[in-house]
Amino acid sequence: MATGSLVALLDDIATLMDDVAVLSKVAAKKTAGVLGDDLALNAEQVTGVRAERELPVVWAVFKGSAINKAIMVPVALALSEFLPWTIMPLLMLGGAFLCFEGFEKVAHRLLHSKEEDDQEHISRLEAVVDQEVDMVEFERRRIKGAIRTDAILSAEIIVIILGTVANEDFLTRVAVLTFMAAAITIGVYGFVAGLVKLDDAGLHLLNKTGEGGWTKFKRWWGKQILRVAPKLMKALSVVGTAAMFLVGGGIIVHGIPMLAEWVHGVELLTEGLPVAANIIGGIAVMLANGVIGIVLGGILVGLWQIIAKFLPKKAPAQH
C-alpha cells in the first residue's frame, strides 16, 4: 500500500514537472519582448558608472529585482485564485504599456538627433571623471531608477506568465511563476553583468604582451570584442523594441475578438500559397500583431503628450 502511494506521488510530481517545463517554455516565448527590453534598459542604466563599480551596481539592482518579484508573485497568485477576472484586464494593460513604451522609444530616436545623443553620452562620461561629482549619490540614483524600471517590467512579465497558466491548477501556477521569476532574474542580471564587462574583457585581451601565436590570437580576439560590444548593445535595443510591438500587439489582439478575427483572416489569406504556407502564415500573423502594436503605441503616446501638457513640470535634477 505504502509502495503504491509512493509510486503515485512520484508520478504526480513527474507530471507536474513536465507541465511546468512545457508551460515555462510557452511563457518564455511570450515574455521575449519584455526580456529584451529589460536587458537593454538595465545594461543602459549601468552606463556612466565607473568600471570598478559596475558589478556592485548590477548586484544591487539584482537584489532589488528579487525583492520586486518576491512581492509580486504572491500578489499575482492571490489575484489568480480569488479575483481571476482581473487577469485579462491586467494583461491588456501590460500589452498596451509595451506598445506605448516601444513607440516612445522609436519617437525618441526619430525626434532626437545623433548629436544630441552623443552629447548626452559625453555628459555621462564627464560625470565619471569629474572628481566634484558625488559618485555615491550618482550610483544611488542609478540603482533606484533601475529598480523602479525593473518593477514595471517585472509586473508585465509576471502578468504575461500568469495569463499563460491562468487555467492551470494552483500548484502548477505556483511552480511556473516561481521558477520563471527566479530564472528570469538570474538570467537577465547574469547576462547584464557579462555584457557590461565585455569591453573590459576585450581590453584585457588586447593588452596581452608577447609575440607567440596564441598571444596574437588573444589580442585579435580582444579587438573583435571591442568592435562587437557597442553593436551588440544597439542590436539588443532594436530587437527588444521590435519584440515589444509584437508581444504587446499580440496580447491586445488576443483580448479583442474583432482584432483576433482580422488577424485570423490575414492568416487565412496565406493558406492557398503553394510553398511554405505555414511559415508565411506565421510571419503574416506576427507582422499583423506588430502593426496593431505600432498603431496602438502611436495613439497612446499622442494621448500622453496631450495630457502631459496639463501636468506640472518637474524641476531638473541637480548633480
Side-chain angles (χ1 to χ4, degrees):
M1 188 72 173
T3 303
S5 299
L6 178 60
V7 171
L9 176 61
L10 292 175
D11 185 60
D12 289 343
I13 292 173
T15 302
L16 174 63
M17 291 299 100
D18 186 56
D19 290 344
V20 169
V22 172
L23 290 167
S24 295
K25 288 180 182 178
V26 175
K29 290 179 181 178
K30 290 188 175 182
T31 57
V34 194
L35 289 177
D37 190 50
D38 201 3
L39 285 169
L41 282 175
N42 280 290
E44 185 180 357
Q45 288 286 3
V46 181
T47 303
V49 176
R50 286 173 180 154
E52 69 274 12
R53 294 294 303 161
E54 287 175 340
L55 290 183
V57 168
V58 172
W59 173 245
V61 180
F62 167 81
K63 290 189 290 184
S65 176
I67 293 171
N68 285 340
K69 292 182 180 67
I71 295 170
M72 291 176 186
V73 168
V75 171
L77 289 169
L79 287 175
S80 70
E81 186 67 16
F82 301 109
L83 297 170
W85 58 268
T86 62
I87 302 305
M88 183 52 71
L90 287 173
L91 269 173
M92 296 290 283
L93 283 173
F97 183 80
L98 282 174
C99 298
F100 169 83
E101 193 176 10
F103 196 91
E104 195 175 41
K105 283 187 173 185
V106 173
H108 177 81
R109 288 293 179 88
L110 294 176
L111 298 176
H112 289 73
S113 65
K114 185 177 183 300
E115 289 73 19
E116 289 176 304
D117 291 336
D118 290 343
Q119 185 57 48
E120 182 182 354
H121 181 67
I122 292 170
S123 298
R124 287 185 180 184
L125 294 178
E126 288 176 348
V128 172
V129 299
D130 189 351
Q131 297 300 319
E132 295 182 3
V133 173
D134 185 352
M135 291 307 296
V136 174
E137 180 59 27
F138 179 78
E139 283 185 15
R140 189 179 292 117
R141 289 198 304 271
R142 282 281 180 183
I143 292 168
K144 285 182 178 178
I147 293 174
R148 187 166 55 248
T149 300
D150 175 90
I152 297 170
L153 296 173
S154 293
E156 294 175 27
I157 289 169
I158 288 171
V159 168
I160 292 171
I161 296 171
L162 194 58
T164 304
V165 298
N167 296 323
E168 303 298 326
D169 61 85
F170 184 72
L171 188 58
T172 302
R173 274 178 274 152
V174 172
V176 173
L177 268 176
T178 303
F179 170 76
M180 287 298 294
I184 286 170
T185 305
I186 294 170
V188 165
Y189 289 97
F191 189 87
V192 169
L195 194 60
V196 299
K197 301 307 290 182
L198 200 57
D199 52 351
D200 289 348
L203 282 172
H204 176 73
L205 292 173
L206 191 61
N207 291 330
K208 291 289 185 181
T209 56
E211 295 301 323
W214 179 239
T215 303
K216 289 180 179 179
F217 173 77
K218 286 181 180 179
R219 285 199 295 267
W220 175 85
W221 186 240
K223 187 183 295 183
Q224 303 313 308
I225 291 175
L226 290 174
R227 285 179 179 174
V228 168
K231 295 178 181 178
L232 180 61
M233 284 290 293
K234 288 182 180 179
L236 188 62
S237 179
V238 171
V239 171
T241 302
M244 289 173 78
F245 289 124
L246 299 177
V247 175
I251 292 172
I252 298 301
V253 167
H254 181 71
I256 301 177
M258 184 175 67
L259 289 177
E261 289 180 12
W262 177 75
V263 172
H264 183 60
V266 171
E267 186 178 19
L268 290 176
L269 292 175
T270 66
E271 286 187 352
L273 296 175
V275 180
N278 290 336
I279 296 175
I280 295 174
I283 294 173
V285 169
M286 183 175 64
L287 292 176
N289 289 339
V291 168
I292 290 170
I294 292 170
V295 171
L296 177 60
I299 293 171
L300 292 175
V301 168
L303 289 173
W304 174 246
Q305 291 299 318
I306 294 171
I307 294 171
K309 291 180 180 180
F310 299 96
L311 297 177
K313 302 292 184 182
K314 285 186 178 181
Q318 298 295 322
H319 291 289

